[in-house]
Amino acid sequence: MDFTSPTGERVRRSAETGNKAEAQELHDKLKAEVWRVDKLGERPRRTWNDAVVRWLTEQAHKASIEADKIHLRWLDRHLRGLELTAITRDRIDRIGAAKLAEGVAPATVNRVMEVLRAVLRRCVDEWEWLDKCPKVRMLKEPTRRIRYLSHEEAGRLLAELPGHLADMAAFSLATGLRRSNVTGLRWDQVDLAQCRAWIHPDQAKARRAIPVPLNDDAMSVVRRQIGKHRELVFSFRGKPIRQVSTKAWYSALERADIKSFRWHDLRHTWASWHVQGGTPLFALQELGGWESAEMVRKYAHLSADHLAPYAQRLAPLIGHGTNASQAQKDEGATFR
């Protein structure tokens, strides 16, 4: 197909068919659409695929872009080739139901729906490809308790892990760094003399640099890695470590009698220990590289030291009430 739009722009592309009649029909349709867009101010017809391509281009910097790609690949089987105006509330509900029917948790369904909603909102708010975004219903997710280890449990786990995993787990418990930041930590990000390390903005989930002070435990782990790899702090037999949730990890958990525990829960353990030790939430937020204070508040209930003075105000009242009640019982016993 080859024609010129009213603005003088040349439109040249394949009709993607070997049938001349179909190619001519598509040619005429596209030419009419281009004319209506230019002369009547109508919006060009955009498809879901158009939106996905632009989304991936503009969001390439996201730390979670790989997870987005996984969800978008799954959505492709339901939305491929559809015009954006055909993506209705009813269709979105059916997509959510299809994902849930795979036997996944409501949280997994919501992660897919969040990506779908984000793309559609961008179509409305920034690209002006749609007049409004259809409602995307989220499923209710059960509140999940923070899973963290006691010091005794942590000791059992480290004792059961093979050396390279034990070192990385101990380092995670000492610094709170995410898995990718531990496996990807380079020697040029560590200052042994100053006992500190740092995570560059492009390596951090929140895209902000993270200062990492190294305590005695962390320094001990790092010193054991000297000479094992030229560039990376942590390695296995001279090679980079790509995966930590391996068979060895799960076997160690079983031997240590620790259930329902993920590698990421090492970070929860680190944060929980900090709060229980009295570290203020604002300091914990900076140490952990969280984007907002709200993300840190889930650990706040683990420390009530700052509330103790207020709770103590009721102690005299409770004591008085208890004594008065006992006195009444004694007096009644005497009268009888």
Side-chain angles (χ1 to χ4, degrees):
M1 298 181 292
D2 192 351
F3 61 89
T4 303
S5 71
T7 60
E9 178 184 359
R10 186 179 185 184
V11 179
R12 188 180 186 186
R13 52 172 286 190
S14 170
E16 299 180 3
T17 178
N19 186 300
K20 187 174 182 179
E22 291 177 350
Q24 184 64 50
E25 182 181 356
L26 180 59
H27 168 277
D28 296 342
K29 180 181 177 182
L30 288 178
K31 190 172 182 180
E33 285 181 0
V34 168
W35 184 88
R36 294 183 69 85
V37 168
D38 181 73
K39 298 300 183 181
L40 303 180
E42 293 185 359
R43 282 198 180 106
R45 295 182 179 179
R46 305 285 190 177
T47 67
W48 168 253
N49 302 73
D50 295 329
V52 169
V53 169
R54 185 164 179 178
W55 167 266
L56 291 174
T57 301
E58 294 183 0
Q59 301 298 310
H61 65 283
K62 281 183 63 180
S64 58
I65 190 63
E66 292 304 319
D68 287 356
K69 289 179 181 178
I70 293 173
H71 299 322
L72 289 169
R73 289 191 194 103
W74 186 88
L75 286 167
D76 185 65
R77 70 184 74 168
H78 297 277
L79 299 174
R80 180 190 309 159
L82 275 181
E83 290 190 9
L84 292 173
T85 53
I87 303 177
T88 61
R89 167 70 183 273
D90 183 62
R91 185 182 295 273
I92 291 172
D93 286 344
R94 291 201 303 270
I95 291 173
K99 186 64 179 177
L100 190 62
E102 294 181 357
V104 301
T108 303
V109 177
N110 287 346
R111 300 299 84 78
V112 176
M113 294 295 101
E114 284 169 356
V115 175
L116 171 59
R117 181 177 61 186
V119 174
L120 292 178
R121 284 181 174 176
R122 188 65 62 93
C123 289
V124 175
D125 299 334
E126 297 193 24
W127 305 336
E128 298 183 351
W129 289 1
L130 284 173
D131 290 324
K132 66 177 184 177
C133 176
K135 177 73 173 178
V136 179
R137 183 175 64 91
M138 296 294 168
L139 301 180
K140 186 174 181 180
E141 298 181 30
T143 302
R144 185 173 181 271
R145 292 184 180 183
I146 296 173
R147 179 70 170 100
Y148 67 93
L149 300 177
S150 67
H151 285 81
E152 188 271 335
E153 287 177 318
R156 293 206 316 261
L157 176 59
L158 294 178
E160 295 294 344
L161 286 169
H164 67 291
L165 287 179
D167 280 343
M168 288 193 296
F171 189 76
S172 299
L173 289 170
T175 63
L177 288 178
R178 294 180 174 88
R179 176 197 57 79
S180 60
N181 295 141
V182 175
T183 58
L185 188 66
R186 303 171 63 89
W187 285 113
D188 57 15
Q189 294 173 249
V190 179
D191 186 336
L192 292 175
Q194 298 295 324
C195 299
R196 66 185 180 187
W198 52 89
I199 303 300
H200 298 297
D202 61 326
Q203 299 173 311
K205 186 175 180 180
R207 290 300 186 250
R208 295 188 304 182
I210 304 174
V212 187
L214 302 178
N215 59 22
D216 292 343
D217 288 339
M219 286 296 297
S220 177
V221 172
V222 170
R223 289 194 180 101
R224 288 200 294 270
Q225 314 311 312
I226 295 175
K228 293 184 178 180
H229 196 280
R230 181 179 299 178
E231 298 177 353
L232 296 171
V233 175
F234 296 101
S235 60
F236 179 62
R237 296 176 181 174
K239 296 182 179 180
I241 298 172
R242 304 299 183 193
Q243 183 59 264
V244 291
S245 296
T246 60
K247 182 179 179 180
W249 164 257
Y250 291 111
S251 297
L253 287 173
E254 186 174 352
R255 290 194 300 271
D257 194 26
I258 296 174
K259 298 177 175 60
S260 302
F261 193 80
R262 309 164 302 163
W263 184 277
H264 188 71
D265 292 329
L266 294 171
R267 178 171 166 86
H268 292 319
T269 300
W270 165 83
S272 301
W273 288 355
H274 259 293
V275 172
Q276 291 169 342
T279 301
L281 294 183
F282 74 87
L284 182 63
Q285 180 184 346
E286 188 170 354
L287 285 169
W290 279 286
E291 190 172 5
S292 68
E294 190 61 31
M295 296 179 178
V296 189
R297 289 201 60 80
K298 61 185 176 183
Y299 303 103
H301 69 286
L302 298 175
S303 175
D305 292 347
H306 62 296
L307 301 176
Y310 302 101
Q312 192 62 30
R313 293 179 180 180
L314 288 182
L317 297 176
I318 295 174
H320 177 74
T322 302
N323 293 336
S325 177
Q326 186 61 46
Q328 288 175 354
K329 290 180 180 179
D330 293 343
E331 181 178 350
T334 302
F335 179 77
R336 287 194 298 270

